[in-house]
Amino acid sequence: MSFLILFGILSLLVGLEEINYYSHQNKAKKNPYSLYVQSSGEEGDNLIFLHGLAGSNRYWQKQINNLNVDFQVMAVDLLGFGKSSWPDIEYSIDEHVSAFSETISKALPTTPLKMDKINLVGHSLGALIALQYASENPTLVNKLILAAPPFFNSMNEVKNSLKEISEIQSVMSLNPVLAPVLCYFHGALGKFALPFFRPFLKEFPEVVKADSMLHTWASFHGSLENAIVGANIFDDLAKLRSDQILILLGDADKNNSQKDIKRLRALNINVVTIKGSHNFPLDQPLLTTRLIRDFIKK
């Protein structure tokens, strides 16, 4: 009897995997760099949001709801996450930027948005992608707002940072045996896996929790190891005018160091510290919205 129950559970997982995982794989085969875009607003300058690791466009929902009156807003699901395709690639920063660049170059002319200078807002991984895109296309970017950009030089720094936040999150994210299994589990079950992970995602809204299930081990770990660790943040910042850039940091973010903040301010970049964690856009949505609007409008 126990064998039949186990067989039934495995069959269910495989069946759900085909529905969820392979739908994204089929999308990736047709266009490996296809990104999902949510558009909102019809007037004003354009404004593009990029989420962080294991997020989706809905991470920025509160800011979007408050800014789509003043701006034409696009919120993008990054490659390998959310409703975008999940190709079997390395997920390097160059691959992420290429997918983003291709997507907006196609999306802007076919929406009310115009392909003039764009305003970019990115959180964490999204901040790194926005920064590299801006450094490669400085004439296309008006203002660049980087929320909680990570400053990791090695996987050991990542591990130590995650352990300070939560030992269990560190295991769930980085353990080479358990983490891929967990990714397969939530990849197979999709939103039905959420009750098992909800205790570890207490600080997130329900929509963010649900979308955090939409990725693979390849997209999560690949983006972490190949796009976040060792990112050339200061080299890319030096290619841009300091008055183009606003950096927002949470005062309780374990990823920040005084050394990095001093280096940022030495470049004459405007750095604003907000009360909150690495996810201060969720902790302080109205303040984050106001800072974004004021910086772009000034």
Side-chain angles (χ1 to χ4, degrees), residues 49-60:
F49 285 91
L50 294 88
H51 62 81
L53 193 68
S56 79
N57 71 87
R58 297 201 289 183
Y59 182 90
W60 291 106

Side-chain angles (χ1 to χ4, degrees), residues 197-208:
F197 290 87
R198 185 174 277 114
F200 309 110
L201 301 168
K202 293 178 181 178
E203 69 272 27
F204 297 110
E206 283 301 309
V207 293
V208 176

Side-chain angles (χ1 to χ4, degrees), residues 50-104:
L50 294 88
H51 62 81
L53 193 68
S56 79
N57 71 87
R58 297 201 289 183
Y59 182 90
W60 291 106
Q61 196 59 58
K62 288 186 178 180
Q63 285 79 18
I64 292 168
N65 290 343
N66 286 307
L67 290 168
N68 61 11
V69 176
D70 301 315
F71 299 95
Q72 299 175 72
V73 179
M74 290 174 61
V76 180
D77 281 0
L78 299 180
L79 190 65
F81 299 94
K83 294 181 180 179
S84 292
S85 59
W86 301 349
D88 292 322
I89 57 174
E90 290 184 356
Y91 289 94
S92 66
I93 189 70
D94 289 336
E95 288 168 329
H96 276 293
V97 172
S98 177
F100 172 69
S101 180
E102 180 180 325
T103 296
I104 62 168

Side-chain angles (χ1 to χ4, degrees), residues 7-157:
F7 180 78
I9 293 173
L10 290 174
S11 299
L12 175 63
L13 286 174
V14 171
L16 289 169
E17 175 82 358
E18 290 177 353
I19 294 171
N20 192 31
Y21 176 78
Y22 287 109
S23 66
H24 285 265
Q25 291 298 296
N26 289 333
K27 185 190 296 184
K29 288 177 182 177
K30 294 176 183 177
N31 185 350
Y33 295 102
S34 173
L35 302 186
Y36 174 81
V37 178
Q38 181 69 44
S39 298
S40 178
E42 298 181 356
E43 296 182 359
D45 296 333
N46 59 64
L47 175 59
I48 302 175
F49 285 91
L50 294 88
H51 62 81
L53 193 68
S56 79
N57 71 87
R58 297 201 289 183
Y59 182 90
W60 291 106
Q61 196 59 58
K62 288 186 178 180
Q63 285 79 18
I64 292 168
N65 290 343
N66 286 307
L67 290 168
N68 61 11
V69 176
D70 301 315
F71 299 95
Q72 299 175 72
V73 179
M74 290 174 61
V76 180
D77 281 0
L78 299 180
L79 190 65
F81 299 94
K83 294 181 180 179
S84 292
S85 59
W86 301 349
D88 292 322
I89 57 174
E90 290 184 356
Y91 289 94
S92 66
I93 189 70
D94 289 336
E95 288 168 329
H96 276 293
V97 172
S98 177
F100 172 69
S101 180
E102 180 180 325
T103 296
I104 62 168
S105 66
K106 291 178 179 178
L108 288 170
T110 59
T111 69
L113 300 167
K114 297 177 181 178
M115 190 55 182
D116 50 11
K117 286 196 172 186
I118 60 177
N119 299 292
L120 285 175
V121 182
H123 174 254
S124 196
L125 171 62
L128 299 180
I129 295 168
L131 173 58
Q132 180 157 318
Y133 175 85
S135 71
E136 293 176 358
N137 303 276
T139 60
L140 296 180
V141 176
N142 177 39
K143 295 291 179 65
L144 176 66
I145 300 168
L146 308 177
F151 299 94
F152 293 125
N153 294 308
S154 69
M155 285 300 290
N156 281 336
E157 288 187 12

